Amino acid sequence: KLVRYSQIHGLTKKADETYIVNALMDALGMTEFTFPETTTTIGNSVLCGCESLQKVTFLSHNIETMGTGVFRYCHSLHTITLPEGLTTIPVGTFDECYALETLVIPENVTTIGAAAFEECRGLKSIYISEKITDIADDFSGCYSLTGIWVAEDNAVYCSDEFGVLFNKNKTKIIVFPAGYEGAYVIPDSITSMTSGMFKNSKITSITIYTTNATQLTNLKNAIGTAYEYTVDEAKFSVTINFAEPVTSFVLSHAGSTTAYISGVDVITTK
């Protein structure tokens, strides 16, 4: 019976055993799972692939470590409160948790691993506390994400009123929320942007500033005929218009292979 799953010690030491049990739990239509009060550590992929799982409860708040991909492919998971003692949200933790719309990150968390929230298509917002100093996830596939909000006293990251994630001195855009709708003006301080940052976003236009006529010409050449745009010669700026949701945003420059907008050569902002 499923209740006995929590009594199997060392289960996650063997991947094949883990996935066999997970497949069994999903086949039985398990919609809820509770980690008992005695739990102190959670191994890799413990609930991975439980597509019917909707709710997870932690009776223990002493859990400081989880393995990778614990809730990966739990497509129906929508309700979970992570344990207060957790310090890291590991790689792939909520990968493809399509139904997850909100999540409170425990205040002791300092690290968010790569693909931790990848393809969380229903996720609407994320709050980054002052303690989080390492974000490896680019929130790819989070199509409903309208903002990433950062505590003002965070020493590594910051965000603007639109929920765009920057480094602290605001010279780099790290994540642009895919659920943001409307026009956006790239801040003057920006010198670089993450590759493919506008991919699958609902943005309708972006305005990019350069510092002189030469850079403005380079930018126009990079855009070429790929996008419609307007130019403000006086401000050395270009506004690129998107007629439909952005599937990719790639600029070519100086005959080189296609290069993602990067703040190097193609774009040097004010």
mmCIF file with all atom_site columns, all heavy atoms in Angstrom, residues 234-256:
data_model
loop_
_atom_site.group_PDB
_atom_site.id
_atom_site.type_symbol
_atom_site.label_atom_id
_atom_site.label_alt_id
_atom_site.label_comp_id
_atom_site.label_asym_id
_atom_site.label_entity_id
_atom_site.label_seq_id
_atom_site.pdbx_PDB_ins_code
_atom_site.Cartn_x
_atom_site.Cartn_y
_atom_site.Cartn_z
_atom_site.occupancy
_atom_site.B_iso_or_equiv
_atom_site.pdbx_formal_charge
_atom_site.auth_seq_id
_atom_site.auth_comp_id
_atom_site.auth_asym_id
_atom_site.auth_atom_id
_atom_site.pdbx_PDB_model_num
ATOM 1   N N   . ALA A 1 234 ? 17.688 61.013 -33.048 1.00 0.00 ? 234 ALA A N   1
ATOM 2   C CA  . ALA A 1 234 ? 18.150 61.951 -32.024 1.00 0.00 ? 234 ALA A CA  1
ATOM 3   C C   . ALA A 1 234 ? 18.557 61.248 -30.742 1.00 0.00 ? 234 ALA A C   1
ATOM 4   O O   . ALA A 1 234 ? 19.487 61.670 -30.048 1.00 0.00 ? 234 ALA A O   1
ATOM 5   C CB  . ALA A 1 234 ? 17.071 62.988 -31.747 1.00 0.00 ? 234 ALA A CB  1
ATOM 6   N N   . LYS A 1 235 ? 17.856 60.161 -30.431 1.00 0.00 ? 235 LYS A N   1
ATOM 7   C CA  . LYS A 1 235 ? 18.137 59.438 -29.185 1.00 0.00 ? 235 LYS A CA  1
ATOM 8   C C   . LYS A 1 235 ? 18.967 58.177 -29.435 1.00 0.00 ? 235 LYS A C   1
ATOM 9   O O   . LYS A 1 235 ? 19.253 57.441 -28.489 1.00 0.00 ? 235 LYS A O   1
ATOM 10  C CB  . LYS A 1 235 ? 16.824 59.052 -28.501 1.00 0.00 ? 235 LYS A CB  1
ATOM 11  C CG  . LYS A 1 235 ? 16.014 60.254 -28.028 1.00 0.00 ? 235 LYS A CG  1
ATOM 12  C CD  . LYS A 1 235 ? 14.750 59.811 -27.318 1.00 0.00 ? 235 LYS A CD  1
ATOM 13  C CE  . LYS A 1 235 ? 13.963 60.996 -26.800 1.00 0.00 ? 235 LYS A CE  1
ATOM 14  N NZ  . LYS A 1 235 ? 12.711 60.571 -26.119 1.00 0.00 ? 235 LYS A NZ  1
ATOM 15  N N   . PHE A 1 236 ? 19.360 57.962 -30.699 1.00 0.00 ? 236 PHE A N   1
ATOM 16  C CA  . PHE A 1 236 ? 20.122 56.762 -31.066 1.00 0.00 ? 236 PHE A CA  1
ATOM 17  C C   . PHE A 1 236 ? 19.415 55.492 -30.602 1.00 0.00 ? 236 PHE A C   1
ATOM 18  O O   . PHE A 1 236 ? 20.044 54.567 -30.081 1.00 0.00 ? 236 PHE A O   1
ATOM 19  C CB  . PHE A 1 236 ? 21.540 56.808 -30.478 1.00 0.00 ? 236 PHE A CB  1
ATOM 20  C CG  . PHE A 1 236 ? 22.327 58.015 -30.863 1.00 0.00 ? 236 PHE A CG  1
ATOM 21  C CD1 . PHE A 1 236 ? 22.769 58.908 -29.899 1.00 0.00 ? 236 PHE A CD1 1
ATOM 22  C CD2 . PHE A 1 236 ? 22.623 58.295 -32.198 1.00 0.00 ? 236 PHE A CD2 1
ATOM 23  C CE1 . PHE A 1 236 ? 23.497 60.033 -30.251 1.00 0.00 ? 236 PHE A CE1 1
ATOM 24  C CE2 . PHE A 1 236 ? 23.345 59.418 -32.552 1.00 0.00 ? 236 PHE A CE2 1
ATOM 25  C CZ  . PHE A 1 236 ? 23.787 60.296 -31.589 1.00 0.00 ? 236 PHE A CZ  1
ATOM 26  N N   . SER A 1 237 ? 18.107 55.470 -30.806 1.00 0.00 ? 237 SER A N   1
ATOM 27  C CA  . SER A 1 237 ? 17.341 54.322 -30.324 1.00 0.00 ? 237 SER A CA  1
ATOM 28  C C   . SER A 1 237 ? 16.537 53.678 -31.445 1.00 0.00 ? 237 SER A C   1
ATOM 29  O O   . SER A 1 237 ? 16.225 54.309 -32.459 1.00 0.00 ? 237 SER A O   1
ATOM 30  C CB  . SER A 1 237 ? 16.392 54.734 -29.199 1.00 0.00 ? 237 SER A CB  1
ATOM 31  O OG  . SER A 1 237 ? 15.364 55.569 -29.696 1.00 0.00 ? 237 SER A OG  1
ATOM 32  N N   . VAL A 1 238 ? 16.229 52.402 -31.236 1.00 0.00 ? 238 VAL A N   1
ATOM 33  C CA  . VAL A 1 238 ? 15.407 51.636 -32.162 1.00 0.00 ? 238 VAL A CA  1
ATOM 34  C C   . VAL A 1 238 ? 14.304 50.944 -31.374 1.00 0.00 ? 238 VAL A C   1
ATOM 35  O O   . VAL A 1 238 ? 14.562 50.376 -30.309 1.00 0.00 ? 238 VAL A O   1
ATOM 36  C CB  . VAL A 1 238 ? 16.246 50.573 -32.910 1.00 0.00 ? 238 VAL A CB  1
ATOM 37  C CG1 . VAL A 1 238 ? 15.344 49.650 -33.729 1.00 0.00 ? 238 VAL A CG1 1
ATOM 38  C CG2 . VAL A 1 238 ? 17.270 51.232 -33.814 1.00 0.00 ? 238 VAL A CG2 1
ATOM 39  N N   . THR A 1 239 ? 13.094 51.014 -31.896 1.00 0.00 ? 239 THR A N   1
ATOM 40  C CA  . THR A 1 239 ? 11.982 50.266 -31.318 1.00 0.00 ? 239 THR A CA  1
ATOM 41  C C   . THR A 1 239 ? 11.613 49.151 -32.287 1.00 0.00 ? 239 THR A C   1
ATOM 42  O O   . THR A 1 239 ? 11.255 49.407 -33.444 1.00 0.00 ? 239 THR A O   1
ATOM 43  C CB  . THR A 1 239 ? 10.759 51.159 -31.078 1.00 0.00 ? 239 THR A CB  1
ATOM 44  O OG1 . THR A 1 239 ? 11.097 52.172 -30.127 1.00 0.00 ? 239 THR A OG1 1
ATOM 45  C CG2 . THR A 1 239 ? 9.585  50.336 -30.540 1.00 0.00 ? 239 THR A CG2 1
ATOM 46  N N   . ILE A 1 240 ? 11.752 47.922 -31.816 1.00 0.00 ? 240 ILE A N   1
ATOM 47  C CA  . ILE A 1 240 ? 11.449 46.744 -32.630 1.00 0.00 ? 240 ILE A CA  1
ATOM 48  C C   . ILE A 1 240 ? 10.040 46.275 -32.287 1.00 0.00 ? 240 ILE A C   1
ATOM 49  O O   . ILE A 1 240 ? 9.696  46.089 -31.117 1.00 0.00 ? 240 ILE A O   1
ATOM 50  C CB  . ILE A 1 240 ? 12.453 45.615 -32.359 1.00 0.00 ? 240 ILE A CB  1
ATOM 51  C CG1 . ILE A 1 240 ? 13.883 46.094 -32.654 1.00 0.00 ? 240 ILE A CG1 1
ATOM 52  C CG2 . ILE A 1 240 ? 12.131 44.383 -33.195 1.00 0.00 ? 240 ILE A CG2 1
ATOM 53  C CD1 . ILE A 1 240 ? 14.948 45.103 -32.243 1.00 0.00 ? 240 ILE A CD1 1
ATOM 54  N N   . ASN A 1 241 ? 9.224  46.092 -33.309 1.00 0.00 ? 241 ASN A N   1
ATOM 55  C CA  . ASN A 1 241 ? 7.833  45.693 -33.109 1.00 0.00 ? 241 ASN A CA  1
ATOM 56  C C   . ASN A 1 241 ? 7.642  44.225 -33.461 1.00 0.00 ? 241 ASN A C   1
ATOM 57  O O   . ASN A 1 241 ? 8.171  43.735 -34.465 1.00 0.00 ? 241 ASN A O   1
ATOM 58  C CB  . ASN A 1 241 ? 6.915  46.556 -33.987 1.00 0.00 ? 241 ASN A CB  1
ATOM 59  C CG  . ASN A 1 241 ? 7.052  48.034 -33.675 1.00 0.00 ? 241 ASN A CG  1
ATOM 60  O OD1 . ASN A 1 241 ? 6.806  48.462 -32.553 1.00 0.00 ? 241 ASN A OD1 1
ATOM 61  N ND2 . ASN A 1 241 ? 7.458  48.818 -34.662 1.00 0.00 ? 241 ASN A ND2 1
ATOM 62  N N   . PHE A 1 242 ? 6.870  43.555 -32.627 1.00 0.00 ? 242 PHE A N   1
ATOM 63  C CA  . PHE A 1 242 ? 6.580  42.151 -32.845 1.00 0.00 ? 242 PHE A CA  1
ATOM 64  C C   . PHE A 1 242 ? 5.097  41.992 -33.160 1.00 0.00 ? 242 PHE A C   1
ATOM 65  O O   . PHE A 1 242 ? 4.246  42.368 -32.358 1.00 0.00 ? 242 PHE A O   1
ATOM 66  C CB  . PHE A 1 242 ? 6.952  41.312 -31.620 1.00 0.00 ? 242 PHE A CB  1
ATOM 67  C CG  . PHE A 1 242 ? 8.396  41.448 -31.210 1.00 0.00 ? 242 PHE A CG  1
ATOM 68  C CD1 . PHE A 1 242 ? 8.751  42.139 -30.064 1.00 0.00 ? 242 PHE A CD1 1
ATOM 69  C CD2 . PHE A 1 242 ? 9.395  40.895 -31.987 1.00 0.00 ? 242 PHE A CD2 1
ATOM 70  C CE1 . PHE A 1 242 ? 10.079 42.266 -29.694 1.00 0.00 ? 242 PHE A CE1 1
ATOM 71  C CE2 . PHE A 1 242 ? 10.737 41.021 -31.620 1.00 0.00 ? 242 PHE A CE2 1
ATOM 72  C CZ  . PHE A 1 242 ? 11.075 41.711 -30.478 1.00 0.00 ? 242 PHE A CZ  1
ATOM 73  N N   . ALA A 1 243 ? 4.773  41.438 -34.301 1.00 0.00 ? 243 ALA A N   1
ATOM 74  C CA  . ALA A 1 243 ? 3.390  41.313 -34.734 1.00 0.00 ? 243 ALA A CA  1
ATOM 75  C C   . ALA A 1 243 ? 2.681  40.141 -34.068 1.00 0.00 ? 243 ALA A C   1
ATOM 76  O O   . ALA A 1 243 ? 1.468  40.073 -34.035 1.00 0.00 ? 243 ALA A O   1
ATOM 77  C CB  . ALA A 1 243 ? 3.327  41.158 -36.249 1.00 0.00 ? 243 ALA A CB  1
ATOM 78  N N   . GLU A 1 244 ? 3.445  39.204 -33.539 1.00 0.00 ? 244 GLU A N   1
ATOM 79  C CA  . GLU A 1 244 ? 2.883  38.012 -32.911 1.00 0.00 ? 244 GLU A CA  1
ATOM 80  C C   . GLU A 1 244 ? 3.823  37.561 -31.808 1.00 0.00 ? 244 GLU A C   1
ATOM 81  O O   . GLU A 1 244 ? 4.937  38.079 -31.677 1.00 0.00 ? 244 GLU A O   1
ATOM 82  C CB  . GLU A 1 244 ? 2.707  36.909 -33.952 1.00 0.00 ? 244 GLU A CB  1
ATOM 83  C CG  . GLU A 1 244 ? 3.965  36.567 -34.701 1.00 0.00 ? 244 GLU A CG  1
ATOM 84  C CD  . GLU A 1 244 ? 3.710  35.638 -35.871 1.00 0.00 ? 244 GLU A CD  1
ATOM 85  O OE1 . GLU A 1 244 ? 2.597  35.646 -36.418 1.00 0.00 ? 244 GLU A OE1 1
ATOM 86  O OE2 . GLU A 1 244 ? 4.642  34.896 -36.214 1.00 0.00 ? 244 GLU A OE2 1
ATOM 87  N N   . PRO A 1 245 ? 3.384  36.638 -30.950 1.00 0.00 ? 245 PRO A N   1
ATOM 88  C CA  . PRO A 1 245 ? 4.259  36.174 -29.870 1.00 0.00 ? 245 PRO A CA  1
ATOM 89  C C   . PRO A 1 245 ? 5.638  35.761 -30.381 1.00 0.00 ? 245 PRO A C   1
ATOM 90  O O   . PRO A 1 245 ? 5.765  35.115 -31.420 1.00 0.00 ? 245 PRO A O   1
ATOM 91  C CB  . PRO A 1 245 ? 3.497  34.977 -29.299 1.00 0.00 ? 245 PRO A CB  1
ATOM 92  C CG  . PRO A 1 245 ? 2.069  35.290 -29.582 1.00 0.00 ? 245 PRO A CG  1
ATOM 93  C CD  . PRO A 1 245 ? 2.068  36.001 -30.906 1.00 0.00 ? 245 PRO A CD  1
ATOM 94  N N   . VAL A 1 246 ? 6.662  36.145 -29.644 1.00 0.00 ? 246 VAL A N   1
ATOM 95  C CA  . VAL A 1 246 ? 8.037  35.919 -30.065 1.00 0.00 ? 246 VAL A CA  1
ATOM 96  C C   . VAL A 1 246 ? 8.414  34.458 -29.859 1.00 0.00 ? 246 VAL A C   1
ATOM 97  O O   . VAL A 1 246 ? 8.371  33.947 -28.744 1.00 0.00 ? 246 VAL A O   1
ATOM 98  C CB  . VAL A 1 246 ? 9.003  36.821 -29.255 1.00 0.00 ? 246 VAL A CB  1
ATOM 99  C CG1 . VAL A 1 246 ? 10.423 36.636 -29.748 1.00 0.00 ? 246 VAL A CG1 1
ATOM 100 C CG2 . VAL A 1 246 ? 8.584  38.269 -29.373 1.00 0.00 ? 246 VAL A CG2 1
ATOM 101 N N   . THR A 1 247 ? 8.770  33.779 -30.932 1.00 0.00 ? 247 THR A N   1
ATOM 102 C CA  . THR A 1 247 ? 9.240  32.395 -30.800 1.00 0.00 ? 247 THR A CA  1
ATOM 103 C C   . THR A 1 247 ? 10.746 32.357 -30.629 1.00 0.00 ? 247 THR A C   1
ATOM 104 O O   . THR A 1 247 ? 11.306 31.425 -30.058 1.00 0.00 ? 247 THR A O   1
ATOM 105 C CB  . THR A 1 247 ? 8.842  31.559 -32.029 1.00 0.00 ? 247 THR A CB  1
ATOM 106 O OG1 . THR A 1 247 ? 9.331  32.212 -33.209 1.00 0.00 ? 247 THR A OG1 1
ATOM 107 C CG2 . THR A 1 247 ? 7.327  31.441 -32.124 1.00 0.00 ? 247 THR A CG2 1
ATOM 108 N N   . SER A 1 248 ? 11.420 33.388 -31.127 1.00 0.00 ? 248 SER A N   1
ATOM 109 C CA  . SER A 1 248 ? 12.855 33.547 -30.915 1.00 0.00 ? 248 SER A CA  1
ATOM 110 C C   . SER A 1 248 ? 13.207 34.985 -31.227 1.00 0.00 ? 248 SER A C   1
ATOM 111 O O   . SER A 1 248 ? 12.463 35.682 -31.911 1.00 0.00 ? 248 SER A O   1
ATOM 112 C CB  . SER A 1 248 ? 13.665 32.597 -31.807 1.00 0.00 ? 248 SER A CB  1
ATOM 113 O OG  . SER A 1 248 ? 13.463 32.934 -33.170 1.00 0.00 ? 248 SER A OG  1
ATOM 114 N N   . PHE A 1 249 ? 14.330 35.439 -30.710 1.00 0.00 ? 249 PHE A N   1
ATOM 115 C CA  . PHE A 1 249 ? 14.779 36.788 -31.008 1.00 0.00 ? 249 PHE A CA  1
ATOM 116 C C   . PHE A 1 249 ? 16.267 36.736 -31.258 1.00 0.00 ? 249 PHE A C   1
ATOM 117 O O   . PHE A 1 249 ? 17.074 36.656 -30.341 1.00 0.00 ? 249 PHE A O   1
ATOM 118 C CB  . PHE A 1 249 ? 14.464 37.737 -29.849 1.00 0.00 ? 249 PHE A CB  1
ATOM 119 C CG  . PHE A 1 249 ? 14.844 39.165 -30.128 1.00 0.00 ? 249 PHE A CG  1
ATOM 120 C CD1 . PHE A 1 249 ? 14.437 39.783 -31.304 1.00 0.00 ? 249 PHE A CD1 1
ATOM 121 C CD2 . PHE A 1 249 ? 15.605 39.885 -29.236 1.00 0.00 ? 249 PHE A CD2 1
ATOM 122 C CE1 . PHE A 1 249 ? 14.782 41.093 -31.577 1.00 0.00 ? 249 PHE A CE1 1
ATOM 123 C CE2 . PHE A 1 249 ? 15.957 41.191 -29.499 1.00 0.00 ? 249 PHE A CE2 1
ATOM 124 C CZ  . PHE A 1 249 ? 15.537 41.805 -30.670 1.00 0.00 ? 249 PHE A CZ  1
ATOM 125 N N   . VAL A 1 250 ? 16.619 36.732 -32.517 1.00 0.00 ? 250 VAL A N   1
ATOM 126 C CA  . VAL A 1 250 ? 18.006 36.568 -32.907 1.00 0.00 ? 250 VAL A CA  1
ATOM 127 C C   . VAL A 1 250 ? 18.389 37.665 -33.876 1.00 0.00 ? 250 VAL A C   1
ATOM 128 O O   . VAL A 1 250 ? 17.649 37.979 -34.796 1.00 0.00 ? 250 VAL A O   1
ATOM 129 C CB  . VAL A 1 250 ? 18.239 35.189 -33.573 1.00 0.00 ? 250 VAL A CB  1
ATOM 130 C CG1 . VAL A 1 250 ? 19.693 35.010 -33.955 1.00 0.00 ? 250 VAL A CG1 1
ATOM 131 C CG2 . VAL A 1 250 ? 17.787 34.072 -32.651 1.00 0.00 ? 250 VAL A CG2 1
ATOM 132 N N   . LEU A 1 251 ? 19.556 38.264 -33.655 1.00 0.00 ? 251 LEU A N   1
ATOM 133 C CA  . LEU A 1 251 ? 20.062 39.297 -34.543 1.00 0.00 ? 251 LEU A CA  1
ATOM 134 C C   . LEU A 1 251 ? 21.348 38.824 -35.200 1.00 0.00 ? 251 LEU A C   1
ATOM 135 O O   . LEU A 1 251 ? 22.192 38.203 -34.551 1.00 0.00 ? 251 LEU A O   1
ATOM 136 C CB  . LEU A 1 251 ? 20.336 40.587 -33.767 1.00 0.00 ? 251 LEU A CB  1
ATOM 137 C CG  . LEU A 1 251 ? 19.132 41.233 -33.075 1.00 0.00 ? 251 LEU A CG  1
ATOM 138 C CD1 . LEU A 1 251 ? 19.570 42.486 -32.349 1.00 0.00 ? 251 LEU A CD1 1
ATOM 139 C CD2 . LEU A 1 251 ? 18.023 41.541 -34.052 1.00 0.00 ? 251 LEU A CD2 1
ATOM 140 N N   . SER A 1 252 ? 21.509 39.120 -36.488 1.00 0.00 ? 252 SER A N   1
ATOM 141 C CA  . SER A 1 252 ? 22.755 38.831 -37.193 1.00 0.00 ? 252 SER A CA  1
ATOM 142 C C   . SER A 1 252 ? 23.550 40.123 -37.278 1.00 0.00 ? 252 SER A C   1
ATOM 143 O O   . SER A 1 252 ? 22.978 41.213 -37.307 1.00 0.00 ? 252 SER A O   1
ATOM 144 C CB  . SER A 1 252 ? 22.472 38.315 -38.602 1.00 0.00 ? 252 SER A CB  1
ATOM 145 O OG  . SER A 1 252 ? 21.678 37.158 -38.545 1.00 0.00 ? 252 SER A OG  1
ATOM 146 N N   . HIS A 1 253 ? 24.866 40.020 -37.333 1.00 0.00 ? 253 HIS A N   1
ATOM 147 C CA  . HIS A 1 253 ? 25.675 41.232 -37.400 1.00 0.00 ? 253 HIS A CA  1
ATOM 148 C C   . HIS A 1 253 ? 26.985 40.981 -38.131 1.00 0.00 ? 253 HIS A C   1
ATOM 149 O O   . HIS A 1 253 ? 27.649 39.982 -37.913 1.00 0.00 ? 253 HIS A O   1
ATOM 150 C CB  . HIS A 1 253 ? 25.968 41.758 -35.994 1.00 0.00 ? 253 HIS A CB  1
ATOM 151 C CG  . HIS A 1 253 ? 26.747 43.036 -35.994 1.00 0.00 ? 253 HIS A CG  1
ATOM 152 N ND1 . HIS A 1 253 ? 26.300 44.171 -36.643 1.00 0.00 ? 253 HIS A ND1 1
ATOM 153 C CD2 . HIS A 1 253 ? 27.940 43.364 -35.459 1.00 0.00 ? 253 HIS A CD2 1
ATOM 154 C CE1 . HIS A 1 253 ? 27.192 45.131 -36.487 1.00 0.00 ? 253 HIS A CE1 1
ATOM 155 N NE2 . HIS A 1 253 ? 28.192 44.661 -35.777 1.00 0.00 ? 253 HIS A NE2 1
ATOM 156 N N   . ALA A 1 254 ? 27.335 41.927 -39.019 1.00 0.00 ? 254 ALA A N   1
ATOM 157 C CA  . ALA A 1 254 ? 28.652 41.944 -39.684 1.00 0.00 ? 254 ALA A CA  1
ATOM 158 C C   . ALA A 1 254 ? 28.976 40.634 -40.391 1.00 0.00 ? 254 ALA A C   1
ATOM 159 O O   . ALA A 1 254 ? 30.118 40.200 -40.430 1.00 0.00 ? 254 ALA A O   1
ATOM 160 C CB  . ALA A 1 254 ? 29.739 42.278 -38.670 1.00 0.00 ? 254 ALA A CB  1
ATOM 161 N N   . GLY A 1 255 ? 27.925 39.997 -40.928 1.00 0.00 ? 255 GLY A N   1
ATOM 162 C CA  . GLY A 1 255 ? 28.162 38.788 -41.705 1.00 0.00 ? 255 GLY A CA  1
ATOM 163 C C   . GLY A 1 255 ? 28.501 37.564 -40.880 1.00 0.00 ? 255 GLY A C   1
ATOM 164 O O   . GLY A 1 255 ? 28.808 36.517 -41.418 1.00 0.00 ? 255 GLY A O   1
ATOM 165 N N   . SER A 1 256 ? 28.466 37.701 -39.577 1.00 0.00 ? 256 SER A N   1
ATOM 166 C CA  . SER A 1 256 ? 28.794 36.564 -38.718 1.00 0.00 ? 256 SER A CA  1
ATOM 167 C C   . SER A 1 256 ? 27.606 35.622 -38.653 1.00 0.00 ? 256 SER A C   1
ATOM 168 O O   . SER A 1 256 ? 26.524 35.905 -39.159 1.00 0.00 ? 256 SER A O   1
ATOM 169 C CB  . SER A 1 256 ? 29.141 37.051 -37.312 1.00 0.00 ? 256 SER A CB  1
ATOM 170 O OG  . SER A 1 256 ? 28.015 37.669 -36.709 1.00 0.00 ? 256 SER A OG  1
#
